[in-house]
Amino acid sequence: MSVIMVHGGVETSTAPPYIKVLRESALAGLNALSSGHLKAAEEAVRVLENSPLFNAGYGSVLNLDGQVEMDASVMDGETGRFGAVAAVRDVSNPVSVACRVLEETPHVLLAGDGAIKFARSRGFPPANCVTPEMMEMWRKAVSLAGRGEAAGVNLFTGMPEERGQACDTVGCVVSHRGRLAAASSTGGSFLKLPGRVGDTPVIGGGIFASRRCAVVCTGLGEAFIETLTAKYVDSLIAHGRHPQEAAEKAMVRLAGSRRAPGGIIVADSRGRWGSAYNTRTFPVALVVDGKLVEDFTPRKIQGWKSSLPKGPTP
Ligand code: GLY
């Protein structure tokens, strides 16, 4: 039994080009399964990092200084090993750097300049992660802010609401013959303070994997960290909950305690899965036993309302 589930972030467009890349990502994970559950999760996330449509790798949102600073992590539920990078710049695939941290160092998290130095030492070449589109959004937002006007953009995406394009973290959970892995990658939030790190590289906050399940969260990172939501999902499954019920309960808890936007994907060692979110959209692709599940949609939970002006659904 194998399950590969990938997500493209809350408030992300569900238009065909986005779904197409998400499906390619899940199928890339499937193709890599013969190399192991962790490799499958890494390969799936790399596809999303390589696409300018998503807020990870090339296409990441910019911070207040106009730079891309990215977070990524991987966790092997089988061994309990974790690897992550935070506030890393100028690499195409932060998720692969996180894998090297897990596989080739005694550490779990490398940040900033140290993470970049480590990436170069492992052969990751300098790479531009700033798309012309994101640079334009940043310039507009900064100029509006300079005139004392609201930026008028989605903080998860850096994109104006009416563009209908929105992005956040991307992530993947894998369950293969009882072995579990999780991987996640993000450019974080638009106009964040330089050095800000979200939930993506925080074990138990935005990601967790054990011998029971693999969990990846997305949304307002600070809320996921403070509520340890990924670990909470794992503990619900430890107490016998189905992954779908666990994802929904965790979203209700998050909305209740922090009124924060978010989404969760989870797979367990029995090959069951679940997914819930409380935003307008949360595109997910699912492959079960080698086959794409065409009609899969995550469960929407009430509890968070966008404060953004009304616009077309992304
Ligand atoms: N969930 C992504 C972040 O807050 O950075």
Side-chain angles (χ1 to χ4, degrees), residues 75-268:
M75 186 158 186
D76 183 349
E78 185 65 15
T79 61
R81 287 239 50 214
F82 181 70
V85 287
V88 70
R89 297 184 307 278
D90 306 326
V91 285
S92 300
N93 296 110
V95 73
S96 293
V97 185
C99 279
R100 300 296 93 73
V101 172
L102 184 154
E103 288 159 358
E104 298 171 17
T105 80
H107 307 307
V108 295
L109 172 62
L110 295 179
D113 289 344
I116 299 168
K117 201 169 165 188
F118 172 73
R120 301 285 177 260
S121 78
R122 294 304 189 272
F124 292 88
N128 169 43
C129 295
V130 182
T131 61
E133 209 161 26
M134 283 300 165
M135 182 48 84
E136 181 58 22
M137 292 306 140
W138 180 81
R139 284 205 182 101
K140 270 193 191 145
V142 167
S143 128
L144 281 170
R147 299 203 300 268
E149 292 172 40
V153 292
N154 189 313
L155 285 185
F156 289 112
T157 70
M159 304 303 280
E161 193 75 353
E162 70 274 13
R163 292 286 298 276
Q165 184 184 11
C167 314
D168 180 32
T169 310
V170 302
C172 175
V173 291
V174 173
S175 169
H176 182 53
R177 296 183 183 148
R179 295 187 169 171
L180 294 143
S184 190
S185 183
T186 187
S189 54
F190 186 50
L191 301 181
K192 64 187 177 182
L193 288 176
R196 179 266 187 189
V197 173
D199 58 322
T200 299
V202 177
I203 185 170
I207 184 167
F208 196 73
S210 64
R211 291 192 173 180
R212 282 181 290 273
C213 67
V215 187
V216 168
C217 306
T218 179
L220 185 65
E222 284 76 2
F224 280 92
I225 294 170
E226 289 183 343
T227 54
L228 286 176
T229 292
K231 181 67 184 100
Y232 176 67
V233 171
D234 175 75
S235 64
L236 288 175
I237 291 173
H239 284 92
R241 308 280 186 165
H242 187 283
Q244 182 59 41
E245 196 188 349
E248 289 179 26
K249 261 185 104 58
M251 282 313 307
V252 169
R253 173 177 172 263
L254 184 88
S257 69
R258 293 295 309 261
R259 303 216 176 284
I264 297 172
I265 55 173
V266 51
D268 78 1

